[in-house]
Amino acid sequence: MDKILEAVVMSSYPNSVKQGLVRRVIEASKQPMDSEQCWSMLELSTKLYLTGDTKYKREIGKEVLEVYGHYHPEEFEEFFNVRFLLSLLQEGYGPLGKRSHYVLDYIQLGLQFVLESPSANNIFSLLRIEVLRKVCERPSPKQCAKICKLLTQHPQCIPMGKHQLLFCQQLIRCIGQFQCVSEGEEEIMEFLEQVNKVSGLLQRIWRTQTSAILPSLKELFTIISSTEEQEAPSNALASVVQFVPLELMDGVIRNLTNDDSITDVQMMMAIGRMIDWVSWPLGKNIDKWIIALLKGLAAVKKFSILIEVTLSKIEKVFSKLLYPIVREGALSVLQYMLLSFQHSHEAFHLLLPHIPRLVASLKKEDSNSATSSLEQLAELIHCMFFRFSGFPDLYEPVLEAVKALPIPNEDRIKHLLGQNAWTSQKNELASFYPRLASKSETGKIGLINLGNTCYMNSIIQSLFMASDFRHSVLNLTEGNSQPLMTKLQWLFAFLEHSQRPAISPESFLSASWPPWFTPGAQQDCSEYLKYLLDRLHEEEKTGKRIYQKLKESSLMSQAVEHHYLNKTLIEKMFGGKMMTKIRCLKCLNVSSREEAFTDLSLAFPPSDRNVRGSTSILPVEEIGPQFIEPPENAGQLMGSPWIQRKAPMTSDHAAPSVSVETLGFQEPGEAANPIRDNDVGVDAAKDPLSTFGEQACAPKDSRSVPDLINYFLSPERLTAENKYHCEKCASLQDAEKVAELTEGPHYLILTLLRFSFDPQTMKRKKILDNVSIPVVLKLPILVAPEETEEVCRHGKDGAVPGSGFMTVVYDLCSVVVHSGISSESGHYYCYSRECTDTGPHGQPRDGVPKPASDKQLDFEIQWYLFNDTRVSFSSFESVSNVTSFFPKDTAYVLFYRQRPGRQSCLLHEALAEAGRLHGEPSLHKDLMEAISKDNILFLQEQEKEARNRAAYISALPKSPLWWRDLDRDKDDDSSSGGCSPAAGGGGSGSFHGLVF
């Protein structure tokens, strides 16, 4: 009968004809027959099943085997013996080089017919040993899946005792070597199914033998933490972790993170490879294990590992948000990585270039998953904006991408940041920040934030960029008996000459700390600036004079020389004078008092008060940078305090200036100044921003700095409870008070009083109004009548005969921005540029310092953005637009520098003379040596860090190029695969890129 069956199967008849003949043979096989005939048929069916070159032949072999197992059990048991199975498993079946791949399938098929036979236990014992041996030989995923299928169906064959533990460990090692060699979607799905069969067997074993779980996990950790040069273990290992009971998580993580035998490099390798598992499409709870291990490392303060792994892996995790099948887990891991990385902006900034594209892709997908992810991503982004404010240039594209998405409230943001931070102790991360390898490309140096000290950093950088003040400080000689000024000199010197990307101002902070400030709490930068300048002034004033005096000018009279040389440096640089006059409205008697100031605190006028359209004797003007033209002769003044400016080339009419409130007293019924009406008129009030051209981006209804100065200088009525006690009347009377500037400071500091106390909430609130900032400001200064006439005769400045006022021009040089809604919280950063009197190359022209050209002053001088350790190039456009894009980021303290003029010429010429004689400030020997030693130390630190970092980086697991996911989404807008960024069918290439 076996000959007949073999002849039929091997014949060239059609399968339909063969099927009928085979059916007859099989029916005949159900009848009783002798043992020899049974053996012949079993040998033939075994041959067909194991070596058949077609599926049809293997099916025939399988059917015959099943018939003989049912109808001839004794002969089948005798044929299916231990020796035969051992031969199959160890030697295989078929000719050399063509061994059958179906041996395990064959054994699984035959086992069902010998389960009750006397030899069953011997067979089980054999298989327990052989499957362990097979697994140790690292079979392919397909063969390994067959072993696991066999053992799942016949658990009696699973190794027992110590062998079972070894079997689990070796099975995990097999999974670690699984690789999918094909990119076809069907092949990939088959691979995933094979992995599931293998990991499913582990789950079955762990359910019955929980004691095998921890040794298995230890083996898993050994694999993923290996630092040997070899191919990275397969992401299929993720399928193992998903079956570990979550109740074991805490103990497992605690043991791992407290195991001293595990090196930092091994731990970093392990967590890095686990993070790669977010790509595994069928894993459950993978994100929970990754986050748990990250939290465990934070608990034992392994911050170096967390920083390196986060910075190397966060972009890859982010790219997986493109794929719906792994999006949920990837987003969970991303959220923890970002919300915990609070000591530095580095991790978040790595994602900035990719966020707009991802947001656009998720919006295009238009699925529930995409919508939910967009909302969570937007919440995460706003948390990062809140934590790392001060980067408007970088954040604008991201803000534009998420502007239509919900914005979380501040309480929600603080809750998320508070519950995810690695540590509540900021000083524990101090040594890890900043992670800067070299100076900023700007050549400028940042300042390290020592714990909410951004208020100080922004003020120090603004003072440093005030070049005249900086040079004066650096020129101080040794032994000047001014300890705080000396510390400022050292700080400025390091900012000027250090090779570090950022330096610590700790020494200066401790010396300049206002005693009422709370350590570690956010403070008011304006309050700190006032205290600092006052300390420096008083220190010098009490007898500790500047050692090196400004060179005596031949133009100075004895009185003027005495006036300047007796001023402190703070008075020379920041000091101005103001006359306060109070007029009794009954007797019209006027009392006046002159007082000094170092800054003007500008309050916001009531919302119902229009300061722009009010009458004024002389305006404060804001001027667009492209429209300023110095007068060539006195005739240009034309008896007006306003200089006629050249119109922009794109317009046919002169750009109007901005009017301000009254700067003097106006008699009842007095007509408005005709010059004021004609030259400024209503147009200025209608369009105060027109003089900015394209650089003014504030809303039309926003206020400007001249508006606030105007309000500050406008008359104030003293009535009711505020009545004035007139000495002449000897009683309380209604009065009018007005302030007039009598001496303009070299550096004008303006503080916008944005913080006010709210009696309803009992808290200080912030005024978030946008204030447009002019790059050039004209300020009215009250002068004596004889001085005004002399100025007009010589054609200097904008003096008006008989008016008592002259205009002084100021150039914007620094803007300190506060980001937040309260003075007790938020963040400070500043925009700065260096304004000087010399030309573009820093040399006086014709031997005499002259005002820089408008073009050079307004366009060629580079703006910088100082944000603690980070310094970047910026622009006046960014200064103007910051509040428009980020409503909580508002200008708070402004620094303006006075252009050379009559009032300031003595100081300007003295500074210029000092500059010609001495060039760059020459530092004393001790200071130069300290800087030199620190630069050498920094280079040594860099070498050591480079070696350590190289060891870390080389240990990080290699993974596919994550950015291909984002590039694919960018280039292939038509793709719509189930595992690609959009929903629906899908391309196999994108699926393969996801998993492998």
Side-chain angles (χ1 to χ4, degrees):
M1 188 179 294
D2 59 298
K3 300 295 183 184
I4 297 173
L5 180 60
E6 185 175 15
V8 171
V9 171
M10 300 299 178
S11 70
S12 59
Y13 293 119
N15 285 348
S16 58
V17 176
K18 292 181 183 180
Q19 190 64 33
L21 298 173
V22 169
R23 185 57 51 202
R24 293 182 183 180
V25 173
I26 290 176
E27 289 298 325
S29 299
K30 296 179 182 179
Q31 304 302 318
M33 61 180 65
D34 57 44
S35 177
E36 184 178 352
Q37 184 63 48
C38 284
W39 271 74
S40 298
M41 287 295 290
L42 287 169
E43 287 178 345
L44 175 61
S45 59
T46 297
K47 178 182 177 183
L48 290 174
Y49 187 86
L50 292 175
T51 62
D53 54 4
T54 65
K55 185 177 180 180
Y56 175 74
K57 292 178 181 178
R58 292 195 296 275
E59 288 293 333
I60 296 299
K62 177 184 177 183
E63 194 170 356
V64 173
L65 284 170
E66 290 174 337
V67 167
Y68 278 83
H70 280 294
Y71 293 96
H72 306 283
E74 294 181 1
E75 288 79 4
F76 189 90
E77 291 170 11
E78 185 179 354
F79 178 81
F80 200 77
N81 58 65
V82 171
R83 182 176 295 180
F84 174 58
L85 294 180
L86 181 63
S87 174
L88 285 177
L89 290 168
Q90 293 189 353
E91 300 174 11
Y93 189 93
L96 288 175
K98 292 186 178 181
R99 296 298 190 186
S100 174
H101 300 296
Y102 302 100
V103 170
L104 292 170
D105 305 89
Y106 176 82
I107 294 174
Q108 182 179 341
L109 175 65
L111 274 179
Q112 60 183 312
F113 303 114
V114 297
L115 295 177
E116 304 298 330
S117 68
S119 61
N121 288 332
N122 292 334
I123 293 176
F124 295 155
S125 298
L126 170 68
L127 289 176
R128 291 188 196 109
I129 296 172
E130 286 300 307
V131 294
L132 178 58
R133 182 185 62 81
K134 282 280 187 184
V135 169
C136 290
E137 292 176 353
R138 306 289 181 264
S140 66
K142 187 174 184 179
Q143 291 300 309
C144 200
K146 288 182 177 181
I147 293 173
C148 294
K149 182 181 178 182
L150 168 64
L151 299 183
T152 301
Q153 187 170 345
H154 302 288
Q156 307 96 318
C157 302
I158 296 175
M160 302 172 67
K162 292 182 179 180
H163 286 169
Q164 185 178 83
L165 177 57
L166 179 60
F167 177 76
C168 290
Q169 293 172 328
Q170 293 301 316
L171 203 57
I172 290 172
R173 287 207 168 267
C174 281
I175 298 174
Q177 294 190 4
F178 284 178
Q179 299 295 334
C180 184
V181 296
S182 173
E183 294 190 5
E185 189 163 339
E186 290 185 7
E187 289 82 358
I188 292 174
M189 294 304 296
E190 183 182 2
F191 174 77
L192 295 175
E193 185 179 352
Q194 292 163 357
V195 173
N196 276 350
K197 286 180 179 177
V198 178
S199 58
L201 176 62
L202 281 171
Q203 180 191 25
R204 184 187 183 102
I205 296 174
W206 289 347
R207 281 178 180 171
T208 57
Q209 294 291 332
T210 55
S211 60
I213 298 178
L214 293 180
S216 299
L217 290 181
K218 185 176 181 180
E219 188 69 20
L220 172 64
F221 186 83
T222 301
I223 296 170
I224 62 176
S225 63
S226 174
T227 58
E228 297 177 5
E229 289 295 331
Q230 59 183 12
E231 190 173 1
S234 172
N235 283 349
L237 287 169
S239 64
V240 175
V241 177
Q242 66 180 326
F243 295 123
V244 180
L246 293 179
E247 54 267 25
L248 297 178
M249 181 182 289
D250 290 342
V252 170
I253 298 300
R254 188 166 51 252
N255 289 338
L256 281 177
T257 54
N258 288 282
D259 190 340
D260 293 335
S261 66
I262 301 173
T263 67
D264 285 357
V265 173
Q266 289 175 320
M267 183 62 76
M268 185 162 58
M269 181 68 75
I271 186 61
R273 285 169 171 165
M274 284 183 68
I275 291 173
D276 286 343
W277 291 350
V278 297
S279 301
W280 189 252
L282 301 177
K284 297 177 181 178
N285 299 326
I286 303 302
D287 55 322
K288 294 181 176 63
W289 280 94
I290 295 172
I291 294 170
L293 184 51
L294 291 173
K295 287 182 176 179
L297 291 172
V300 295
K301 299 180 175 26
K302 296 286 188 179
F303 300 128
S304 295
I305 298 174
L306 291 168
I307 290 171
E308 293 291 348
V309 168
T310 300
L311 295 179
S312 63
K313 294 295 182 180
I314 195 166
E315 289 173 284
K316 181 177 181 183
V317 173
F318 181 82
S319 71
K320 299 311 171 188
L321 299 182
L322 289 167
Y323 304 98
I325 197 169
V326 298
R327 183 176 293 152
E328 183 180 357
L331 185 56
S332 295
V333 174
L334 179 72
Q335 285 174 324
Y336 179 77
M337 292 175 83
L338 275 182
L339 291 172
S340 62
F341 202 93
Q342 293 186 31
H343 72 289
S344 165
H345 55 257
E346 290 174 277
F348 178 51
H349 285 192
L350 286 173
L351 305 181
L352 294 180
H354 315 303
I355 291 175
R357 270 194 284 168
L358 176 70
V359 171
S361 177
L362 293 177
K363 287 180 178 178
K364 181 181 176 182
E365 183 180 316
D366 192 26
S367 66
N368 291 336
S369 168
T371 301
S372 174
S373 297
L374 274 173
E375 292 177 355
Q376 293 179 68
L377 184 62
E379 182 178 70
L380 190 57
I381 289 170
H382 283 289
C383 285
M384 295 297 100
F385 283 168
F386 181 88
R387 180 65 186 86
F388 305 115
S389 55
F391 303 94
D393 297 348
L394 292 177
Y395 291 169
E396 282 177 17
V398 177
L399 189 66
E400 181 68 21
V402 301
K403 64 181 181 181
L405 298 171
I407 301 175
N409 59 43
E410 188 168 341
D411 290 339
R412 170 66 176 167
I413 289 175
K414 290 180 177 178
H415 172 72
L416 289 172
L417 291 172
Q419 70 177 8
N420 287 286
W422 284 338
T423 173
S424 59
Q425 305 298 320
K426 292 182 174 63
N427 59 344
E428 291 184 341
L429 284 163
S431 61
F432 299 102
Y433 182 69
R435 280 176 33 92
L436 302 173
S438 60
K439 268 190 183 181
S440 158
E441 61 181 356
T442 64
K444 304 295 181 183
I445 296 175
L447 289 169
I448 295 174
N449 191 315
L450 301 173
N452 280 329
T453 58
C454 54
Y455 67 91
M456 179 190 71
N457 290 349
S458 58
I459 292 299
I460 294 300
Q461 294 287 17
S462 298
L463 292 175
F464 177 80
M465 293 296 284
S467 54
D468 298 332
F469 177 64
R470 179 178 75 244
H471 289 157
S472 297
V473 172
L474 292 176
N475 271 320
L476 291 176
T477 57
E478 201 172 2
N480 55 64
S481 300
Q482 299 179 67
L484 184 58
M485 186 67 83
T486 300
K487 286 186 178 295
L488 183 61
Q489 181 189 43
W490 278 64
L491 182 57
F492 277 6
F494 272 82
L495 285 173
E496 183 94 6
H497 299 289
S498 177
Q499 293 301 312
R500 294 181 182 274
I503 60 175
S504 171
E506 185 173 5
S507 176
F508 187 77
L509 173 65
S510 61
S512 63
W513 183 276
W516 62 89
F517 277 14
T518 303
Q522 184 61 280
Q523 306 294 342
D524 188 327
C525 76
S526 174
E527 186 178 4
Y528 173 77
L529 174 60
K530 286 182 175 70
Y531 176 79
L532 174 62
L533 295 182
D534 186 60
R535 277 276 310 277
L536 293 171
H537 168 69
E538 290 298 326
E539 187 178 78
E540 183 179 352
K541 183 180 176 182
T542 54
K544 299 162 187 175
R545 301 293 184 181
I546 298 176
Y547 179 79
Q548 183 178 353
K549 302 295 186 179
L550 293 174
K551 186 178 180 182
E552 181 178 355
S553 172
S554 59
L555 300 176
M556 289 185 182
S557 65
Q558 290 296 321
V560 172
E561 177 184 354
H562 177 80
H563 173 72
Y564 273 95
L565 293 183
N566 279 281
K567 282 189 171 185
T568 66
L569 178 59
I570 299 303
E571 287 177 312
K572 292 174 185 175
M573 292 295 165
F574 305 102
K577 290 185 179 179
M578 180 190 312
M579 181 75 72
T580 302
K581 297 179 181 178
I582 302 179
R583 181 178 63 175
C584 175
L585 294 181
K586 181 178 181 182
C587 68
L588 301 183
N589 180 59
V590 177
S591 64
S592 60
R593 183 182 78 251
E594 189 176 54
E595 53 188 347
F597 68 87
T598 53
D599 80 311
L600 296 180
S601 298
L602 305 180
F604 283 72
S607 57
D608 58 347
R609 176 165 181 177
N610 181 11
V611 298
R612 294 177 183 170
S614 303
T615 58
S616 61
I617 288 180
L618 195 71
V620 171
E621 296 183 54
E622 59 175 304
I623 304 174
Q626 63 270 53
F627 306 141
I628 306 164
E629 189 173 43
E632 296 180 359
N633 53 65
Q636 286 184 310
L637 295 172
M638 299 175 63
S640 168
W642 301 277
I643 299 173
Q644 184 68 27
R645 295 185 301 275
K646 184 183 294 183
M649 297 182 65
T650 56
S651 176
D652 295 331
H653 59 278
S657 61
V658 179
S659 67
V660 296
E661 192 79 29
T662 305
L663 300 179
F665 298 119
Q666 183 175 339
E667 295 295 340
E670 181 183 350
N673 188 305
I675 297 176
R676 179 182 63 246
D677 286 346
N678 294 338
D679 284 345
V680 180
V682 183
D683 290 339
K686 287 182 179 178
D687 190 11
L689 302 178
S690 59
T691 54
F692 278 102
E694 292 302 316
Q695 294 200 28
C697 304
K700 288 187 177 181
D701 60 349
S702 70
R703 300 190 183 277
S704 67
V705 169
D707 290 339
L708 303 188
I709 299 177
N710 168 76
Y711 181 59
F712 176 81
L713 297 175
S714 63
E716 177 186 358
R717 281 294 180 101
L718 304 178
T719 61
E721 296 179 356
N722 294 325
K723 281 187 176 184
Y724 166 66
H725 186 272
C726 177
E727 294 182 357
K728 189 173 182 181
C729 298
S731 61
L732 293 174
Q733 298 292 337
D734 288 347
E736 190 175 52
K737 182 174 73 172
V738 69
E740 296 171 336
L741 301 178
T742 57
E743 183 179 321
H746 185 62
Y747 283 100
L748 173 66
I749 300 176
L750 303 176
T751 300
L752 311 188
L753 296 179
R754 292 189 174 275
F755 303 112
S756 61
F757 183 76
D758 187 347
Q760 294 182 348
T761 62
M762 301 300 290
K763 293 181 180 179
R764 292 182 73 189
K765 65 179 182 179
K766 180 178 177 182
I767 300 172
L768 295 173
D769 294 2
N770 194 359
V771 176
S772 60
I773 304 170
V775 71
V776 177
L777 183 71
K778 287 191 175 182
L779 205 62
I781 304 296
L782 181 67
V783 294
E786 59 273 13
E787 290 181 299
T788 305
E789 293 173 5
E790 181 182 353
V791 168
C792 288
R793 281 200 305 271
H794 294 283
K796 296 179 180 178
D797 294 315
V800 182
S803 72
F805 286 96
M806 61 177 291
T807 57
V808 177
V809 181
Y810 282 89
D811 297 301
L812 180 68
C813 52
S814 287
V815 178
V816 178
V817 177
H818 177 263
S819 176
I821 60 173
S822 167
S823 62
E824 290 83 17
S825 63
H827 179 64
Y828 289 99
Y829 58 94
C830 73
Y831 294 92
S832 291
R833 63 172 182 166
E834 286 195 65
C835 295
T836 59
D837 298 333
T838 55
H841 299 292
Q843 297 298 326
R845 292 168 291 190
D846 303 324
V848 179
K850 298 180 181 179
S853 69
D854 301 331
K855 179 179 179 182
Q856 184 264 331
L857 186 64
D858 299 318
F859 293 112
E860 293 184 10
I861 298 180
Q862 177 66 55
W863 281 91
Y864 301 94
L865 175 56
F866 294 89
N867 187 359
D868 288 335
T869 56
R870 185 179 184 273
V871 186
S872 58
F873 291 115
S874 191
S875 65
F876 181 68
E877 182 180 9
S878 179
V879 179
S880 303
N881 290 341
V882 63
T883 306
S884 301
F885 282 99
F886 302 91
K888 295 179 183 178
D889 291 29
T890 53
Y892 184 40
V893 179
L894 312 178
F895 287 73
Y896 281 89
R897 181 183 183 274
Q898 186 181 146
R899 286 193 186 178
R902 185 212 63 80
Q903 190 187 45
S904 62
C905 65
L906 299 177
L907 179 57
H908 277 280
E909 289 176 14
L911 290 170
E913 180 66 17
R916 284 198 297 273
L917 290 176
H918 304 290
E920 284 299 314
S922 177
L923 306 179
H924 57 79
K925 182 179 178 182
D926 288 349
L927 183 49
M928 286 301 298
E929 287 182 355
I931 294 172
S932 177
K933 288 180 180 179
D934 186 70
N935 286 339
I936 294 173
L937 177 62
F938 172 66
L939 293 177
Q940 294 171 343
E941 292 172 356
Q942 288 292 95
E943 291 176 3
K944 182 178 179 180
E945 182 181 348
R947 288 193 296 269
N948 294 340
R949 185 168 173 78
Y952 274 136
I953 295 301
S954 63
L956 287 173
K958 304 297 186 294
S959 57
L961 300 179
W962 55 264
W963 59 82
R964 287 180 179 171
D965 298 318
L966 291 167
D967 289 340
R968 180 182 301 112
D969 176 61
K970 176 183 177 183
D971 299 334
D972 185 12
D973 292 335
S974 61
S975 64
S976 58
C979 300
S980 65
S988 60
S990 63
F991 192 92
H992 186 273
L994 162 67
V995 184
F996 314 108

